[in-house]
Amino acid sequence: MSSVDAVVTGAGGFIGGHLVGSLLAEGKSVRGIDVKPLDEWHQVHPDATSVQGDVSLLDTARSAVDGAAVVYNLAADMGGMGFIENNKAACMLSVLTSTHVLLAAKDAGVERYFYSSSACVYAAEHQTSPDVVALREEDAYPAMPEDGYGWEKLFSERMARHFLEDYGVQTRVARYHNVYGPEGTWTGGREKAPAAICRKIATAAITGEHSIDIWGDGLQTRTFMYIDDCVHGTRTITDGDDPNPVNLGSDELVTINEMVDIVEKIAGITVARNHDLTAPQGVRGRSSDNTEMIRRYGWAPSITLTDGLEHTYRWVYDEVKKSLAG
């Protein structure tokens, strides 16, 4: 293939679509690849070269990164807590993608390789209370990450490190903490909490049935990073000088119930809450310690949850309305 400034694997996904748009906006040439057919991509940018292909296959990975200066590897089989708790084997199989894209990048002589890891690499013992102490990068070891998905991410982080040590590949790694925003998955089982709550409340607002289900007691805590902060942070880390994994997430800790409060206020309604204590809940509390991000780059995610949810809810509301009109 011809040379290109950047290749984005997982370009048909939520974060990948926004990242492609950001790169194009700065005049970069971009090749995006995703295993999904193009009509299932979250966004298809006409100024990018968009390819349907499975980069878990080495030959496809080699073709995808050929001629690339920078590779952003976002491709993975993943979703919200309901998906990753019930699809551990499928999540582990993403190791084929992580391995083959990194190997192809090495052989192609790319200048930079970015790997999107996850806060799921952190041991559950650090996340047992809603009043959780924010997770520091060193808390990933001794290792006992989220079963399935977290193990694959931690292994692939180590592989990136050793490809730098042994082969000189300039690898960069970010541990994403709960990314949300418009153009994301909002239904179907792979959606994360912000989109799911926006969908449920939008449906209540449209139908007049003001009752929603909430997974767990709603007291579990998380931080949620708006997509614009995620893209900015991803590019900042990729262009930076430090190869060690770093948290990329908001440090604005909220309970799930508090997030419902925010979306209710945006929607202008209140809903009855039915707490399902049998549903997947994940860890009890998780927050990002951004000390290292600020030290290395003088920046950290800062878009408030209220502002981000305002944009997200409006987008999800329109999608729900179209779906119900069906």
Side-chain angles (χ1 to χ4, degrees), residues 237-253:
I237 292 164
T238 304
D239 295 341
D241 296 328
D242 197 322
N244 295 303
V246 64
N247 285 329
L248 181 53
S250 169
D251 57 5
E252 181 186 354
L253 188 68

Side-chain angles (χ1 to χ4, degrees), residues 145-159:
E146 183 97 33
D147 206 6
Y149 181 71
W151 275 111
E152 192 281 323
K153 288 296 185 183
L154 192 61
F155 173 83
S156 296
E157 283 189 11
R158 298 292 291 192
M159 187 162 53

Side-chain angles (χ1 to χ4, degrees), residues 21-242:
S22 172
L23 292 162
L24 290 170
E26 290 192 4
K28 306 287 188 183
S29 56
V30 183
R31 180 186 308 136
I33 185 165
D34 199 288
V35 69
K36 297 185 291 293
L38 288 177
D39 61 2
E40 296 180 13
W41 287 29
H42 288 243
Q43 299 181 66
V44 177
H45 297 274
D47 293 335
T49 300
S50 299
V51 180
Q52 191 271 326
D54 183 358
V55 290
S56 72
L57 307 175
L58 182 56
D59 286 347
T60 305
R62 291 191 191 282
S63 177
V65 307
D66 184 45
V70 179
V71 171
Y72 297 88
N73 185 17
L74 276 58
D77 197 359
M78 59 86 67
M81 188 53 58
F83 178 81
I84 65 175
E85 283 200 359
N86 293 297
N87 294 274
K88 295 183 177 69
C91 290
M92 289 293 286
L93 284 173
S94 290
V95 73
L96 296 173
T97 296
S98 302
T99 302
H100 289 154
V101 175
L102 181 53
L103 182 60
K106 175 188 80 73
D107 293 344
V110 303
E111 297 172 14
R112 289 288 168 99
Y113 170 91
F114 172 86
Y115 178 66
S116 59
S117 187
S118 166
C120 289
V121 302
Y122 291 111
E125 67 183 42
H126 298 295
Q127 306 169 75
T128 58
S129 169
D131 300 318
V132 66
V133 175
L135 294 163
R136 302 165 300 171
E137 284 76 6
E138 58 263 34
D139 291 335
Y141 296 94
M144 187 53 69
E146 183 97 33
D147 206 6
Y149 181 71
W151 275 111
E152 192 281 323
K153 288 296 185 183
L154 192 61
F155 173 83
S156 296
E157 283 189 11
R158 298 292 291 192
M159 187 162 53
R161 168 181 167 176
H162 296 314
F163 267 61
L164 171 61
E165 294 169 340
D166 293 355
Y167 305 122
V169 181
Q170 286 299 312
T171 56
R172 301 291 183 266
V173 176
R175 293 173 179 163
Y176 288 166
H177 287 247
N178 294 317
V179 188
Y180 74 100
E183 305 292 344
T185 301
W186 59 274
T187 191
R190 291 182 184 248
E191 68 276 16
K192 296 187 177 181
I197 290 170
C198 286
R199 183 196 74 239
K200 291 173 182 180
I201 293 183
T203 302
I206 294 167
T207 64
E209 298 176 7
H210 289 188
S211 177
I212 69 170
D213 293 331
I214 297 175
W215 288 6
D217 59 12
L219 299 178
Q220 61 269 43
T221 54
R222 294 291 188 277
T223 64
F224 300 94
M225 174 174 52
Y226 190 62
I227 184 61
D228 290 0
D229 274 341
C230 178
V231 170
H232 181 86
T234 295
R235 298 193 58 191
T236 298
I237 292 164
T238 304
D239 295 341
D241 296 328
D242 197 322

Side-chain angles (χ1 to χ4, degrees), residues 249-312:
S250 169
D251 57 5
E252 181 186 354
L253 188 68
V254 296
T255 67
I256 298 301
N257 284 334
E258 287 170 340
M259 184 161 62
V260 175
D261 293 342
I262 294 170
V263 180
E264 281 182 328
K265 188 174 294 186
I266 293 168
I269 66 170
T270 57
V271 296
R273 305 177 187 190
N274 308 311
H275 291 94
D276 182 357
L277 302 183
T278 67
Q281 300 176 49
V283 296
R284 196 62 179 152
R286 175 181 290 158
S287 180
S288 176
D289 185 322
N290 290 340
T291 303
E292 271 298 298
M293 187 70 191
I294 294 169
R295 184 188 69 79
R296 296 184 202 179
Y297 307 106
W299 177 90
S302 61
I303 297 172
T304 67
L305 184 59
T306 296
D307 287 346
L309 284 174
E310 175 80 38
H311 294 294
T312 306

